Amino acid sequence: MAKGPYSDKVMDHFMNPRNMGEIEEADGVGEVGNPACGDVMKLYLKIEGDRIVDAKFKTFGCGAAIASSSMTTELIKGKTIDEALSISNEAVAEALGGLPPAKQHCSVLAEEALKVAIEDYKKKKGQG
Amino acid sequence: MDRIYFDHASTTPVDRRVLDAMLPYFSEQFGNPSSILIEEGRVPNKAVDEARETLAQLVNAEREEIIFTGSATESNNLAIKGLALANRDKGKRILFSDIEHFSVMNQADFLRSLGFEVDFIKVDNYGIIDLEDLKNKATDDTILVSIMHANLEIGTIEPIEEIALFLKERDILFHSDGTGTCGRIPVDVKKLGVDTMTISPHQFYGPKGVAALYMKRGAKLISFMQGGFQEMGYRAGTENVPGIVGSGKAAQIAMEEVGEKLERLTRLSRRLWDGLSSSIEYIHFTGHPNIRLPGHASFWIEFVEGESLLLWLNLNGIASASGSACASNMMAADETGLKASHVLTAVGVPPEICSGSISFSLGKDNTMEEVEYVLSVIPGIVKRLMEMSPLYEKARKPGR
């Protein structure tokens, strides 16, 4: 495989994105965009108690943006909300085997999408 | 099927005949072409002269009007800085088009630091120069205008002859970057009426690391490279003899084969356009539909991001180019390099939309079978990326 500037892990998540799709009647939805490059990420959460039991995403963006979204859903599934909120963009990038410097913002976008989705959940629950 | 190369606007492979012509000048004929008093220098010296003659023929110039340089970027710098500095007593205003290559655009700040005033001329939605804007901005103080002959990202060919006539009437010098056209389509610098024009051999199956500048006889130009007296004093430094010989050979082949090549490329790109437009929803072609480089097709697809499309095409064995912000400067130190293509922005494509842009540039060795393969693969990739796109979801489910 021609790897180019991306790690094998990034390319794997780009080619075989985990949890791509949407959750009907999601408990929390977060959509964020990066005006610099036009990427848009949308994260859907299914939450039972305070645990994320399912997460799906849809992303308009580059390879790093798709891989970051995919990895984020993998990292947060099964975690409590607080545990998920403690996952930083660096952790997403690290789990992907690193991102090129200009692509670090893709992992930031994923972290932001997660925060917005959890905020949305809290708002719906009257906790926001 | 082997890999399919549809990125000839980026560079072309060296023709085997060009390589064969170059090889002796690396080792057997290694002499310095300036050493004309010894046998070792005479052969390379003659070879450089012959290549200069052939390059001149390629663009209908005189042999003495061709200066060899190290790259098209260097040719553009030599022409623009050289003409500006040599003619600064006549005025200080310089105009570039909005869709120039970075090797032209990025001279603006440096020229401003020298006291020049740089302004940019608009293009229409097809990428054709807005002549009214040029006429308005070409004030009495204007000494130089630089407008590329063809844009390699969107394929549009500019009305250089018409622009040159207007500028000549006002005694304004005219440089044109011919990187996209010289060696690809017939170019006649006398007919076009330019003062200087950049010629880039690696765009027509010649080697990289060498280029040329056509410089009209009598044009006043200051060299910014100080050293020996090679290239009539305009470009100091020992000549890249193998590269120059290869450029000459590439120019000769280009002249001999241009007719057949144009016919083939036109046929292939027509099929590509037809196939893409009939099989892909939300596709928008960029550049002028007719006044464009043969073998070139550029487009953007709503809801599909360019780098992802480029990566999937690459994984399917297809090399292409993207004007996507995310593909533009991948190795930049941070995301400040992530700007949508200035060319697409100039032709009116909103930045958030032009991230889906792709350009296919075909070459002499591409086949109809390759075109059909690309057409068979691309709809599936587009469908996959659209299904992943929240923007597409929104468009399909308005009100959500």
Side-chain angles (χ1 to χ4, degrees):
Chain A
M1 179 173 62
K3 196 166 71 170
Y6 288 137
S7 69
D8 286 343
K9 198 97 179 184
V10 170
M11 285 308 290
D12 179 32
H13 276 261
F14 169 70
M15 291 186 292
N16 310 294
R18 279 61 148 180
N19 310 306
M20 200 283 287
E22 51 186 300
I23 298 174
E24 293 292 333
E25 310 299 327
D27 297 311
V29 179
E31 183 175 325
V32 290
N34 183 329
C37 67
D39 286 355
V40 177
M41 233 175 246
K42 192 168 182 181
L43 190 63
Y44 302 83
L45 302 177
K46 192 82 193 160
I47 297 171
E48 286 174 8
D50 70 340
R51 200 164 289 277
I52 298 168
V53 293
D54 198 8
K56 287 194 184 296
F57 80 92
K58 282 202 169 183
T59 292
F60 167 86
C62 60
I66 291 169
S68 294
S69 317
S70 169
M71 180 55 83
T72 301
T73 58
E74 285 280 271
L75 291 175
I76 61 172
K77 271 172 81 171
K79 296 234 172 9
T80 64
I81 289 169
D82 285 344
E83 284 167 348
L85 281 172
S86 70
I87 294 170
S88 65
N89 76 292
E90 285 97 345
V92 173
E94 199 184 316
L96 286 168
L99 289 170
K103 300 290 190 161
Q104 287 297 333
H105 70 280
C106 294
S107 60
V108 174
L109 206 59
E111 185 188 320
E112 284 170 2
L114 174 63
K115 282 180 177 156
V116 173
I118 290 175
E119 271 169 35
D120 180 55
Y121 164 74
K122 287 181 174 173
K123 209 174 284 171
K124 282 175 181 163
K125 286 276 171 194
Q127 300 168 8
Chain B
M1 186 178 280
D2 290 336
R3 282 188 63 78
I4 296 172
Y5 187 72
F6 274 9
D7 192 19
H8 292 83
S10 167
T11 193
T12 56
V14 171
D15 188 295
R16 184 74 225 183
R17 294 164 290 180
V18 169
L19 180 64
D20 288 343
M22 290 170 68
L23 285 174
Y25 292 91
F26 284 104
S27 51
E28 294 155 40
Q29 302 295 345
F30 61 89
N32 191 319
S34 294
S35 306
I36 49 170
L37 294 179
I38 58 172
E39 191 58 32
E40 283 79 0
R42 273 187 219 129
V43 175
N45 183 281
K46 188 164 174 282
V48 168
D49 257 6
E50 284 170 0
R52 197 185 310 280
E53 175 71 40
T54 316
L55 258 291
Q57 284 171 15
L58 179 74
V59 295
N60 190 30
E62 307 299 322
R63 189 170 56 178
E64 298 74 21
E65 293 176 317
I66 299 294
I67 309 291
F68 285 111
T69 67
S71 63
T73 290
E74 187 187 327
S75 291
N76 282 335
N77 274 267
L78 175 61
I80 293 168
K81 289 194 183 83
L83 289 170
L85 290 168
N87 294 279
R88 67 191 313 173
D89 55 318
K90 292 182 185 163
K92 61 174 183 181
R93 195 166 156 79
I94 297 169
L95 303 175
F96 298 155
S97 87
D98 263 343
I99 57 168
E100 293 301 298
H101 184 259
F102 287 130
S103 61
V104 173
M105 301 283 270
N106 287 349
Q107 292 186 60
D109 285 344
F110 182 74
L111 289 164
R112 286 186 185 118
S113 76
L114 296 178
F116 291 99
E117 192 180 274
V118 183
D119 204 350
F120 292 87
I121 308 154
K122 287 189 275 192
V123 293
D124 67 14
N125 289 345
Y126 292 132
I128 300 266
I129 286 293
D130 182 337
L131 288 172
E132 281 310 306
D133 196 41
L134 170 64
K135 285 171 187 174
N136 290 334
K137 287 174 178 164
T139 58
D140 291 344
D141 210 18
T142 304
I143 54 169
L144 173 65
V145 169
S146 180
I147 294 169
M148 59 178 22
H149 194 181
N151 185 284
L152 282 164
E153 193 171 330
I154 56 172
T156 300
I157 300 174
E158 299 296 338
I160 296 297
E161 206 173 331
E162 196 179 343
I163 297 165
L165 272 175
F166 167 77
L167 296 176
K168 196 173 177 154
E169 283 167 11
R170 281 150 188 82
D171 201 22
I172 297 170
L173 292 162
F174 187 18
H175 169 68
S176 183
D177 178 359
T179 298
T181 52
C182 295
R184 289 177 189 266
I185 58 172
V187 172
D188 183 333
V189 289
K190 300 282 191 277
K191 191 161 170 271
L192 291 174
V194 293
D195 292 286
T196 52
M197 178 171 259
T198 292
I199 305 165
S200 184
H202 80 89
Q203 293 286 336
F204 51 94
Y205 306 94
K208 296 164 189 66
V210 63
L213 180 68
Y214 157 72
M215 196 180 110
K216 188 178 173 182
R217 192 193 295 271
K220 223 167 102 187
L221 187 152
I222 288 175
S223 169
F224 54 84
M225 195 100 93
Q226 279 72 50
F229 297 96
Q230 292 93 346
E231 297 304 301
M232 293 156 270
Y234 290 107
R235 206 273 187 175
T238 302
E239 291 92 339
N240 170 5
V241 179
I244 289 171
V245 169
S247 302
K249 186 67 182 176
Q252 181 208 325
I253 294 169
M255 285 186 281
E256 288 167 1
E257 298 181 352
V258 67
E260 183 224 347
K261 205 169 73 185
L262 291 184
E263 191 273 324
R264 279 192 71 247
L265 288 175
T266 305
R267 197 156 36 88
L268 293 181
S269 51
R270 191 174 301 139
R271 170 65 191 132
L272 193 58
W273 274 60
D274 291 348
L276 289 170
S277 53
S278 63
S279 65
I280 297 176
E281 214 182 348
Y282 304 109
I283 190 167
H284 304 263
F285 289 92
T286 51
H288 197 283
N290 305 310
I291 311 166
R292 61 184 298 110
L293 291 168
H296 193 285
S298 54
F299 54 89
W300 56 275
I301 303 168
E302 288 178 63
F303 320 117
V304 173
E305 201 277 333
E307 188 204 282
S308 288
L309 182 52
L310 186 86
L311 285 172
W312 270 114
L313 287 168
N314 183 54
L315 289 165
N316 280 276
I318 303 155
S320 59
S322 171
S324 157
C326 269
S328 63
N329 199 358
M330 172 98 64
M331 298 317 285
D334 54 40
E335 65 176 295
T336 53
L338 294 173
K339 285 182 187 163
S341 151
H342 69 283
V343 176
L344 293 170
T345 308
V347 299
V349 182
E352 69 277 14
I353 288 176
C354 66
S355 59
S357 81
I358 285 284
S359 89
F360 288 145
S361 44
L362 280 58
K364 66 185 178 77
D365 297 322
N366 288 128
T367 63
M368 192 59 90
E369 190 193 359
E370 290 176 333
V371 170
E372 295 298 343
Y373 172 73
V374 172
L375 289 173
S376 73
V377 159
I378 196 167
I381 298 174
V382 168
K383 184 170 179 278
R384 182 189 174 97
L385 291 171
M386 273 187 185
E387 281 170 357
M388 197 183 286
S389 170
L391 305 175
Y392 182 63
E393 176 194 316
K394 229 174 254 177
R396 302 279 287 186
K397 300 174 185 172
R400 280 186 50 147

